[in-house]
Amino acid sequence: MYRELPPLPILRPFVECFWSARPDVGTGDKLIVPDGCMDIVLHPGLEVARVVGFMTKSQRIPATEAYGVRFRPGTSRAFLGGSPANLLTDRTPSLAELWSPGRVKTLWTDPDPLRALQRALLEKDLPELPNARLSRAIELLGVGYTIEKTAAAVALSRQQLTRLFQAHVGAGPKRFARIQRLKNVQDGLRRASGRSRADLALEGGYCDEAHLLREARLLLGSVAALPNAGNS
């Protein structure tokens, strides 16, 4: 069972949600797909805390009880020691590599893992708001703007925009845009009722359904990972 909880207002500009996942009996691996975000994940039963960096392709991990915080794209750096986000891309390092061992240890002193995570984030020195140009660029790419139009809209060169994304998001704007486009279609498929996958592919910016399926194989590992229309 998976559920999401909204963050406190002070964390809302940076945090998409807090979440918990408890596997069904007999569950083996769990497929994690790229979503453009980065997470801190706690496994209390194992006393393991790790960071999930920006993912460029899907990964299978053991299905265990887990709790986490999902940062909005481009906002995690303030909470992870200030290291460039691209150093964590496709990696799941121990949180102790980015936080002091003592701070990580305090996460296990609270019986509520999500409360412990929230408290740890609130103890950080937060900027007032995320980078405004980056936030706007992320928004524009998410609704289908080209990289050139996005760069122009935020008054940056394409090279400057790429450096900004590498440092704060974990990948360049082209990779990010591809992941967001597929995510938008996935969300559309879950909500769809009586609409074909081909129609949703065209609406989402793909040339045709075959183009969508190729991207699904590249980013999700399999067409089977795409939701069926109308199913959650």
Side-chain angles (χ1 to χ4, degrees):
M1 181 177 67
Y2 174 83
R3 69 183 182 116
E4 295 182 353
L5 297 172
L8 292 173
I10 193 173
L11 292 174
R12 201 168 292 150
F14 309 94
V15 172
E16 185 171 299
C17 68
F18 290 88
W19 56 267
S20 63
R22 294 180 176 87
D24 297 328
V25 176
T27 302
D29 290 345
K30 178 178 177 60
L31 181 69
I32 306 296
V33 300
D35 60 6
C37 300
M38 294 173 63
D39 293 57
I40 295 175
V41 182
L42 305 182
H43 300 278
L46 305 173
E47 285 203 3
V48 170
R50 60 190 176 92
V51 175
V52 177
F54 183 99
M55 294 170 56
T56 64
K57 56 188 176 182
S58 62
Q59 298 181 22
R60 286 200 172 273
I61 62 171
T64 60
E65 183 178 6
Y67 301 83
V69 54
R70 180 167 301 121
F71 297 104
R72 296 186 186 279
T75 67
S76 61
R77 189 170 174 177
F79 299 93
L80 298 175
S83 298
N86 62 333
L87 297 182
L88 301 173
T89 299
D90 286 326
R91 293 185 59 219
T92 56
S94 167
L95 183 59
E97 292 184 27
L98 302 165
W99 288 9
S100 69
R103 183 178 289 273
V104 174
K105 189 175 181 179
T106 64
L107 295 172
W108 312 121
T109 62
D110 193 319
D112 183 337
L114 294 184
R115 185 171 60 197
L117 266 176
Q118 179 176 267
R119 185 178 63 246
L121 297 187
L122 290 172
E123 290 172 354
K124 294 285 186 180
D125 293 326
L126 302 181
E128 290 186 8
L129 290 171
N131 182 294
R133 284 182 172 178
L134 178 61
S135 296
R136 181 59 175 160
I138 287 170
E139 178 185 352
L140 294 176
L141 290 173
V143 296
Y145 270 54
T146 65
I147 296 171
E148 288 74 16
K149 286 186 177 180
T150 299
V154 298
L156 293 173
S157 69
R158 179 167 180 154
Q159 291 75 17
Q160 289 171 322
L161 185 67
T162 296
R163 286 196 294 269
L164 190 64
F165 266 75
Q166 291 282 359
H168 293 275
V169 177
K174 183 176 181 179
R175 173 74 68 170
F176 177 81
R178 286 176 62 194
I179 288 171
Q180 289 303 300
R181 180 171 59 178
L182 184 58
K183 184 175 182 289
N184 289 342
V185 172
Q186 288 177 281
D187 291 342
L189 286 169
R190 294 186 183 98
R191 296 191 303 266
S193 178
R195 300 189 62 196
S196 71
R197 189 161 61 184
D199 286 343
L200 289 168
L202 290 171
E203 186 178 289
Y206 292 95
C207 298
D208 50 28
E209 184 177 1
H211 185 194
L212 167 64
L213 298 183
R214 286 196 300 273
E215 282 290 273
R217 291 188 188 96
L218 288 171
L219 297 176
L220 305 182
S222 169
V223 172
L226 280 175
N228 293 318
N231 293 339
S232 59

